[in-house]
Amino acid sequence: MRAVVVGAGSWGTTVAGLLRDNGHDVSLAARDPEQAAAIEATGRNPRYARGVDLRGISATTIADAPLEDADVVVVAVPSRVFGDVVPALPGTAPILSLTKGLDPSTGARLSTLVRNRPVAVLSGPNIADEIGRGLPAAAVVAGEDLELAVRLQLLAHSSIFRVYVTDDVSGVELCAAAKNVIALAAGAADGLSLGDNAKAALVARGLAEMRRLAEASGGRPDTFAGLAGMGDLVVTCWSPSGRNRRAGELISQGASPEEAVAEIGMVVEGLTTAPVLRDLSRELGVEMPITEGVCAVLEGTSIADLVSRLMHRAPTTE
């Protein structure tokens, strides 16, 4: 297939390499002309996923990418610009979204912003650095059109990247957004040395929050026990490479959110998603105390006060 990957960050770069290795004709489209020129000249991304060999992949700007001729457009841009970038892409090829978040201006799931063309989403426990080094991983493609989802499954499936299929788009997208917020809290637990018991309890209750939210939006329970739910939550909360976990750790140790992002050097989706997720949960009448707590800390509440508040909540059933 002819695939255009829009977004030359670490995950877009890694997926471009995966698709090339699967025998597809791949173009990698960057927003920055200098970055695109460097990739084209050297076969390496000078900013992200530097270890991924990009030889055989055409690098262009988004404006110059062969979108009209694509069989599939893979989108790996930050959630904050997804709603501006995707509707402006020419052509009618299906969109495969790799972005994990919600639209900051509306709270909408990102796939709902795609108009007049088919769309599916890919999610799962996918640390880009590990996949770029050839380590095994798995993911799930979610699409309301299962025939399209199966086509996109075969696009990405390989001996190192096992891909499953589901039609639970709502569940997968909300899991992908919410797990980043829980990972901020898990990172704070690491930064405060609260111990493995506390972190495991936080992650388990975080999964309960994710489940309540997605079920209220039409998601299915089995999604939360799968790759997009438990799988992605675990790796995001424990991996040293997890941006959101690391941001939470830095913030718990005194850094501002802006300083944490600057040190990490990449987009931290949980910081954008947290207030959007909180507002959505309130609108749906879904209780999400960890998400509320993360937002409170980002707005200036002491983490020590937050921990005390969470631990002193009234006893209840699980």
Side-chain angles (χ1 to χ4, degrees):
M1 296 179 73
R2 292 167 296 181
V4 176
V5 179
V6 176
S10 58
W11 190 214
T13 298
T14 301
V15 169
L18 278 175
L19 298 182
R20 184 271 322 277
D21 291 345
N22 278 2
H24 302 295
D25 180 358
V26 182
S27 296
L28 179 58
R31 284 182 289 175
D32 183 0
E34 291 186 6
Q35 183 185 14
I39 295 170
E40 185 72 12
T42 66
R44 300 280 174 174
N45 189 329
R47 299 178 186 170
Y48 308 104
R50 296 180 181 88
V52 176
D53 182 357
L54 298 175
R55 288 175 295 181
I57 294 173
S58 173
T60 70
T61 61
I62 295 175
D64 293 331
L67 293 158
E68 295 276 9
D69 299 324
D71 296 313
V72 62
V73 177
V74 181
V75 178
V77 299
S79 61
R80 67 175 184 271
V81 300
F82 190 99
D84 295 324
V85 170
V86 173
L89 297 175
T92 59
I95 298 289
L96 177 61
S97 171
L98 309 184
T99 305
K100 298 179 178 181
L102 300 172
D103 180 52
S105 61
T106 66
R109 291 185 291 109
L110 298 179
S111 69
T112 66
L113 306 181
V114 180
R115 303 281 189 259
N116 303 319
R117 61 168 79 189
V119 60
V121 300
L122 183 145
S123 191
N126 302 146
I127 299 295
D129 175 66
E130 293 187 4
I131 296 170
R133 290 188 282 122
L135 299 178
V140 60
V141 169
E144 294 178 359
D145 180 345
L146 276 178
E147 182 179 344
L148 171 64
V150 169
R151 277 201 290 138
L152 297 176
Q153 173 190 37
L154 298 177
L155 172 83
H157 187 88
S158 73
S159 60
I160 67 162
F161 194 63
R162 184 170 178 82
V163 183
Y164 294 79
V165 164
T166 181
D167 61 358
D168 186 12
V169 181
S170 175
V172 167
E173 282 193 289
L174 287 172
C175 281
K179 61 92 184 179
N180 284 329
V181 180
I182 304 304
L184 289 170
D190 287 341
L192 296 174
S193 299
L194 297 183
D196 289 336
N197 289 334
K199 185 173 178 179
L202 186 150
V203 170
R205 297 313 301 160
L207 183 63
E209 289 193 12
M210 291 164 56
R211 177 171 182 154
R212 287 196 294 266
L213 179 69
E215 284 186 331
S217 304
R220 292 202 305 267
D222 59 337
T223 299
F224 312 100
L227 293 165
M230 177 61 79
D232 205 2
L233 179 64
V234 167
V235 78
T236 305
C237 290
W238 260 275
S239 172
S241 301
R243 304 176 198 174
N244 294 280
R245 189 212 63 79
R246 178 60 176 149
E249 185 177 35
L250 291 169
I251 291 168
S252 74
Q253 295 170 342
S256 68
E258 295 76 17
E259 290 168 342
V261 171
E263 177 161 335
I264 293 166
M266 292 182 282
V267 172
V268 179
E269 284 287 4
L271 297 175
T272 302
T273 301
V276 184
L277 199 70
R278 176 198 58 196
D279 293 347
L280 177 61
S281 70
R282 290 175 177 177
E283 180 183 326
L284 294 172
V286 175
E287 187 181 29
M288 299 185 72
I290 297 173
T291 299
E292 292 275 357
V294 167
C295 291
V297 169
L298 295 178
E299 292 166 358
T301 296
S302 158
I303 293 182
D305 289 345
L306 172 62
V307 172
S308 177
R309 186 191 312 168
L310 288 172
M311 294 301 291
H312 282 86
R313 294 175 74 240
T316 185
T317 58
E318 186 174 29

